[in-house]
Amino acid sequence: MDRSFYNLVLVVFLSLCLSFCLFPGTTSAKLRKNYYHKTCPNVENIVRAAVTKKFQQTFVTAPATIRLFFHDCFVQGCDASVMIASSGGNKAEKDHTDNMSLAGDGFDTVIKAKEAVDAVPRCRNKVSCADILAMATRDAIALSGGPYYEVELGRLDGLSSTAANVKGKLPQPFFNLNQLNSLFAANGLTQKNMIALSAAHTVGFSHCSKFANRIHNFSRHNAVDPALDRGYAAQLRQMCPKNVDTRVAIDMDLKTPRKFDNVYFKNLQKGKGLFSSDQVLFNDPRSKPTVNGWANDSYAFKRAFISAITKLGRVGVKTGNKGNIRTNCAAFN
């Protein structure tokens, strides 16, 4: 065999090494779309029915479930570790400050779906909470008008959950583009992936405390962030006055708050991004073209979102002896 063949082998080897050595947490492991076709063939219909029932009770089901999935995947990977309740001497992920605002309806959606799956004898204890959360997220997105996509399955549930692991793993509302890109890149996600996933804020809500500085005490010279549209800032100040009850929350997209769409990007074009980390996507010239493109092309945005959330679902997947299937999503076996 000639030298060119050996060079080809070397290139392939180095490519594989770069993929698995530099980004070990982003491998999709053994995920596949028909993972449960033998053990629980109707699992997706079962989960969808449970999520639909919950969604019909409250729209909060959608943003709460989507956010729960994101917060789970960015801390130790997509392993349902965010579902674990603190017990004994262990303070779990869900009780970290950054997770205290996760709405209970997200947790309840997964618990209800898990109960529905386990109510089928052949499915009992065969489907992980991590996979149920991934499916429930897809269904919540579709129910609120977003794209329907096939979910890769085969995750196991994580064996640990500590609040200490959350620190520095989740994006903050004041992050700039460099900080956002750095955090997402650590999970194998690109800038475009980050912008697409940020658009889930189109059905999101936020407590006033998360952006109060932008409308009340932005700087010594400006009480209101100059990047905010003046009319929008006035609306926000009316809904979130100083010393407002900390439990008060408002929609992040005031125009179509109950629809998963590309209006998020149109809002950014008008200076109506609720968080600084939203508005920076339009204000920074490096990300502005993507925002403008998806503001004008809903189909392109939805394709990009499907790609991004599929990649997100591959982060830190547990298989083999690294995980198991919990009988109770909120407690270790």
Side-chain angles (χ1 to χ4, degrees):
M1 296 184 184
D2 59 21
R3 182 177 296 275
S4 62
F5 173 78
Y6 288 108
N7 288 339
L8 177 62
V9 172
L10 181 61
V11 169
V12 171
F13 172 77
L14 289 174
S15 297
L16 289 171
C17 185
L18 283 170
S19 297
F20 291 99
C21 299
L22 293 181
F23 299 107
T26 61
T27 175
S28 59
K30 297 178 181 178
L31 297 184
R32 59 182 186 272
K33 293 173 183 176
N34 63 342
Y35 188 83
Y36 295 105
H37 76 285
K38 290 183 179 178
T39 54
C40 185
N42 204 33
V43 63
E44 297 199 47
N45 289 331
I46 297 169
V47 171
R48 188 175 304 116
V51 176
T52 301
K53 183 178 179 180
K54 176 72 179 176
F55 181 83
Q56 289 170 345
Q57 293 169 353
T58 173
F59 180 83
V60 175
T61 297
T65 304
I66 298 167
R67 189 165 180 244
L68 187 65
F69 181 60
F70 180 86
H71 278 231
D72 182 47
C73 292
F74 260 43
V75 181
Q76 293 195 151
C78 309
D79 63 355
S81 53
V82 74
M83 296 290 300
I84 293 293
S86 297
S87 62
N90 180 54
K91 184 179 179 182
E93 286 178 30
K94 68 181 294 186
D95 287 327
H96 185 276
T97 305
D98 287 349
N99 282 333
M100 293 297 282
S101 61
L102 289 171
D105 286 302
F107 295 95
D108 190 50
T109 298
V110 178
I111 291 169
K112 290 292 196 322
K114 168 73 168 171
E115 290 172 352
V117 171
D118 284 352
V120 179
R122 71 178 295 180
C123 298
R124 186 170 298 129
N125 299 328
K126 296 290 197 302
V127 183
S128 69
C129 300
D131 275 346
I132 289 173
L133 175 54
M135 287 183 276
T137 299
R138 181 268 311 278
D139 296 331
I141 289 166
L143 285 166
S144 53
Y148 183 88
Y149 54 93
E150 292 187 83
V151 178
E152 296 175 339
L153 301 168
R155 305 164 186 80
L156 289 179
D157 297 324
L159 304 178
S160 67
S161 177
T162 61
N165 281 337
V166 179
K167 186 177 180 181
K169 300 288 180 61
L170 296 169
Q172 301 300 316
F174 53 80
F175 270 12
N176 60 35
L177 190 66
N178 288 340
Q179 291 170 308
L180 290 169
N181 280 337
S182 177
L183 193 62
F184 278 71
N187 290 288
L189 298 165
T190 66
Q191 176 174 289
K192 281 197 172 183
N193 295 153
M194 178 270 292
I195 298 170
L197 292 170
S198 295
H201 285 172
T202 189
V203 291
F205 60 90
S206 171
H207 291 90
C208 296
S209 59
K210 295 293 184 181
F211 58 89
N213 68 303
R214 296 193 73 199
I215 58 174
H216 293 304
N217 57 340
F218 183 70
S219 70
R220 263 173 53 183
H221 303 293
N222 295 291
V224 177
D225 184 348
L228 276 172
D229 172 81
R230 287 188 179 183
Y232 181 55
Q235 278 183 287
L236 295 178
R237 286 167 66 91
Q238 188 174 16
M239 292 185 286
C240 294
K242 284 186 178 181
N243 304 316
V244 68
D245 188 321
T246 56
R247 293 169 295 181
V248 172
I250 70 163
D251 293 318
M252 298 188 74
D253 173 4
L254 296 182
K255 189 170 183 180
T256 57
R258 300 290 182 270
K259 187 177 180 183
F260 194 103
D261 55 23
N262 67 332
V263 170
Y264 169 81
F265 299 112
K266 296 179 181 181
N267 287 338
L268 299 186
Q269 291 176 318
K270 299 172 183 175
K272 296 182 179 181
L274 187 63
F275 294 160
S276 296
S277 58
D278 291 312
Q279 193 57 51
V280 73
L281 302 181
F282 177 75
N283 291 357
D284 193 302
R286 293 171 293 172
S287 47
K288 185 175 183 176
T290 302
V291 171
N292 285 336
W294 290 341
N296 295 324
D297 191 338
S298 177
Y299 291 105
F301 157 58
K302 288 181 178 179
R303 287 195 301 271
F305 183 84
I306 290 172
S307 175
I309 201 160
T310 299
K311 283 179 68 177
L312 174 64
R314 297 169 181 165
V315 174
V317 168
K318 309 295 188 298
T319 57
N321 62 2
K322 301 294 184 182
N324 59 24
I325 295 175
R326 286 183 217 139
T327 54
N328 173 0
C329 291
F332 297 120
N333 292 348

